[in-house]
Amino acid sequence: DQPDPYRDPEGWRKWAMSWSQQEKFDTLHPLLRSRVEAIFDDLRELGWAPEINYGWRHPAVQASLVVEGYTKTKWSHHGGVLPTPGLGWAAAALASDTYLPGAKDDAERARFYTALKTTAEARYGLKSGASYKPEGGPAGAVARWAPYGLGWDPAHVELRRSEEERDAAREVILVDSRNLLEPSEPVWA
């Protein structure tokens, strides 16, 4: 059963992490999904075995991550939705978080994240969290990845958008996400 993301955001995160890789890919926006699939193919050719940690994330869970200090990002590309006849909406994350199962330490993870960043940005035109500036992230994440020359969220890739496209996508997510939230819940802007 799905935990209530309002009452048990940590339980919801654990539940979402248990989804199969196909289920996680299915939560990505089609434009992102095809690129992440191609990136994974490229990384496998380099000897890595990437997996998606998160695709779509409930807005209430994103809010809990801010409160818990894991991120400063109140509005996340992970919360994308698309109008879907008969369902109202369908998950369509504009961002994906990738990890390397079985990595022995942060040095190995950093090599993997460097390959992810290079592939995502250079070959597929995505924005990588490995390029994020230190002032945007939580101190612990900045300190963890800075020694490797990585931004504070190296697992993260997202569709690169112009400012206008980003604002339009943000507005769609905020408007559509209101339907997911209880009336008393704030919509993060």
Side-chain angles (χ1 to χ4, degrees):
D1 282 342
Q2 175 182 343
D4 185 325
Y6 299 99
R7 292 188 209 118
D8 186 11
E10 183 178 346
W12 192 95
R13 288 194 308 262
K14 289 178 182 174
W15 170 74
M17 288 175 59
S18 74
W19 298 346
S20 72
Q21 285 297 291
Q22 186 60 54
E23 288 169 324
K24 291 176 184 181
F25 269 107
D26 289 346
T27 70
L28 302 180
H29 189 286
L31 292 174
L32 180 64
R33 182 175 48 235
S34 63
R35 293 178 190 178
V36 172
E37 289 170 341
I39 290 167
F40 278 26
D41 288 343
D42 290 356
L43 292 172
R44 286 184 194 106
E45 286 181 21
L46 295 171
W48 301 106
E51 291 191 12
I52 293 178
N53 193 27
Y54 274 112
W56 190 80
R57 185 180 299 137
H58 193 284
V61 173
Q62 183 69 26
S64 76
L65 292 172
V66 172
V67 171
E68 294 169 28
Y70 289 109
T71 185
K72 293 181 180 180
T73 306
K74 294 178 181 177
W75 175 80
S76 172
H77 280 83
H78 288 282
V81 294
L82 288 173
T84 305
L87 295 175
W89 62 273
L94 301 170
S96 174
D97 289 343
T98 300
Y99 76 109
L100 183 63
K104 63 182 183 286
D105 57 25
D106 278 351
E108 182 179 8
R109 287 180 192 92
R111 288 189 299 277
F112 168 73
Y113 289 140
T114 299
L116 173 64
K117 173 185 180 271
T118 300
T119 304
E121 290 182 348
R123 289 203 69 193
Y124 298 98
L126 299 180
K127 184 176 180 180
S128 170
S131 294
Y132 286 175
K133 303 284 187 243
E135 59 273 7
V142 170
R144 180 179 183 186
W145 299 112
Y148 302 102
L150 297 171
W152 61 271
D153 194 2
H156 181 91
V157 297
E158 66 185 54
L159 288 174
R160 190 176 298 274
R161 305 277 192 180
S162 68
E163 287 297 311
E164 294 80 22
E165 289 171 325
R166 182 189 56 78
D167 290 344
R170 181 173 189 241
E171 185 59 29
V172 168
I173 290 171
L174 289 175
V175 169
D176 289 342
S177 294
R178 285 188 178 96
N179 296 326
L180 303 175
L181 299 172
E182 293 177 355
S184 62
E185 291 293 319
V187 175
W188 297 105

